């Protein structure tokens, strides 16, 4: 039963302390499908096992569903006896809505996009990544990107780019090979961007890719044609330095 209800809880949910004091929190304010989960967290805290960053929905007095991030802390008396649970909450409704919109934008993007967490495990895999590589999001989520999808001889290079992004040092136009589900080697141009939470903490890396397999094949064919030409051919860059010199 509710024993503490501060002004911010009133402001957030709409119920005053007079309305909630003595009421059963789970039965009265948690939607039926989530009561067991919330009750489990309370029971654990009553046994001395506290919970941090527990997400659950809370219905306001106006019937609006809020998403709340909760820290459930065991409450004790002066003798150390457990007398209840104190919950410190944070309204993350807006953040979750933004994340859903972000996910929609990523999934509908024309470029293959993937993301990994701080352990290198896949957390984002959009439709174009599926189309390009052949693996569905269900097949790759939670897998280690480098270990599972990068050829052994290039793993150290790709891991280095991910590690740099996890340290806040982003990389643009990084070329690396990626093996498809069908065993075809693709050449990919990658921009690796640091992903952060609302507090600015680094939580992973997002990679935006471009399939350059066809372009590289054309460049190789172009080089062959130049090298086998009957005329002497040379080329220079914008600084006048030689970049092409055929046989």
């Amino acid at each position: 039963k509710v024993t503490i209800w501060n002004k911010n809880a009133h402001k957030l949910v709409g119920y005053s302390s007079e309305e909630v004091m003595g009421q059963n929190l789970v039965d009265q304010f948690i939607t039926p499908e989530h009561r067991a989960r919330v009750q489990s967290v309370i029971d654990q805290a009553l046994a001395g096992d506290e919970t941090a960053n527990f997400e659950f929905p809370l219905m306001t007095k106006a019937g609006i569903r809020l998403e709340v991030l909760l820290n459930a802390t065991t409450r004790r008396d002066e003798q150390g006896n457990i007398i209840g649970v104190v919950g410190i909450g944070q309204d993350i409704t807006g953040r979750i809505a933004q994340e859903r919109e972000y996910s929609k934008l990523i999934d509908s993007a024309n470029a293959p996009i993937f993301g990994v967490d701080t352990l290198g495990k896949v957390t984002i895999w959009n439709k174009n990544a599926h189309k390009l590589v052949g693996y569905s999001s269900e097949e790759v989520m939670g897998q280690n990107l480098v270990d599972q999808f990068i050829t052994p001889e290039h793993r150290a290079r790709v891991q280095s780019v991910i590690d740099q992004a996890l340290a806040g040092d982003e990389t643009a136009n990084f070329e690396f090979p990626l093996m498809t589900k069908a065993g075809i080697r693709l050449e990919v141009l990658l921009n690796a961007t640091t992903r952060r939470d609302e507090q600015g903490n680094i939580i992973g890396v997002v990679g935006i890719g471009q399939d350059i397999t066809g372009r590289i094949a054309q460049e190789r064919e172009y080089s062959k044609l130049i090298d086998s030409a009957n005329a002497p051919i040379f080329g220079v860059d914008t600084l006048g330095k030689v970049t092409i010199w055929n046989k």
Side-chain angles (χ1 to χ4, degrees):
K1 292 182 178 181
V2 178
T3 55
I4 298 172
W5 193 263
N6 77 346
K7 289 179 181 178
N8 260 299
H10 178 188
K11 182 179 177 181
L12 180 66
V13 186
Y15 293 100
S16 67
S17 59
E18 291 77 16
E19 291 176 289
V20 300
M21 285 296 182
Q23 298 291 322
N24 186 289
L25 178 73
V26 173
D27 291 346
Q28 297 298 318
F29 306 105
I30 307 299
T31 54
E33 68 272 21
H34 294 281
R35 284 175 186 161
R37 289 175 58 237
V38 176
Q39 187 62 57
S40 175
V41 168
I42 292 173
D43 290 342
Q44 286 175 38
L46 287 171
D49 183 13
E50 300 177 345
T51 300
N53 299 328
F54 173 71
E55 292 185 23
F56 72 100
L58 191 65
M59 296 303 293
T60 70
K61 189 174 183 178
I64 299 168
R65 173 176 164 149
L66 301 176
E67 300 295 333
V68 175
L69 189 67
L70 180 74
N71 288 338
T73 306
T74 305
R75 190 181 181 200
R76 300 174 185 270
D77 63 16
E78 292 179 340
Q79 286 73 44
N81 302 309
I82 294 173
I83 58 171
V85 176
V86 175
I88 302 173
Q90 179 187 352
D91 180 9
I92 57 170
T93 312
R95 190 194 81 188
I96 287 179
Q98 283 182 328
E99 287 175 354
R100 286 172 181 159
E101 186 62 29
Y102 177 67
S103 295
K104 285 180 184 177
L105 289 171
I106 284 177
D107 215 36
S108 61
N110 289 326
I113 300 176
F114 66 85
V116 296
D117 61 16
T118 54
L119 299 176
K121 294 182 178 181
V122 177
T123 55
I124 298 170
W125 192 263
N126 79 341
K127 289 178 181 176
N128 256 296
H130 178 188
K131 182 179 177 182
L132 179 66
V133 187
Y135 293 100
S136 67
S137 59
E138 290 78 16
E139 290 176 290
V140 300
M141 286 296 183
Q143 299 291 322
N144 187 286
L145 178 76
V146 173
D147 291 347
Q148 297 298 319
F149 305 107
I150 307 299
T151 53
E153 67 272 21
H154 293 282
R155 283 175 187 161
R157 289 176 59 237
V158 176
Q159 187 62 57
S160 175
V161 167
I162 291 173
D163 290 342
Q164 286 174 37
L166 287 172
D169 183 12
E170 300 177 345
T171 299
N173 299 329
F174 173 71
E175 292 185 23
F176 72 101
L178 192 64
M179 296 302 292
T180 70
K181 190 174 183 178
I184 299 168
R185 174 176 163 148
L186 300 176
E187 299 296 330
V188 175
L189 190 68
L190 180 75
N191 289 337
T193 305
T194 306
R195 191 180 182 200
R196 300 175 185 269
D197 63 16
E198 289 179 331
Q199 287 73 45
N201 302 308
I202 294 173
I203 58 171
V205 177
V206 174
I208 302 173
Q210 179 186 351
D211 179 10
I212 57 171
T213 311
R215 191 194 81 187
I216 287 178
Q218 284 181 329
E219 288 174 355
R220 286 171 182 160
E221 186 62 30
Y222 176 67
S223 295
K224 285 180 184 177
L225 289 171
I226 287 176
D227 217 34
S228 60
N230 289 325
I233 299 175
F234 67 88
V236 296
D237 62 16
T238 55
L239 299 175
K241 295 182 179 180
V242 176
T243 55
I244 298 172
W245 193 269
N246 80 338
K247 291 180 180 178

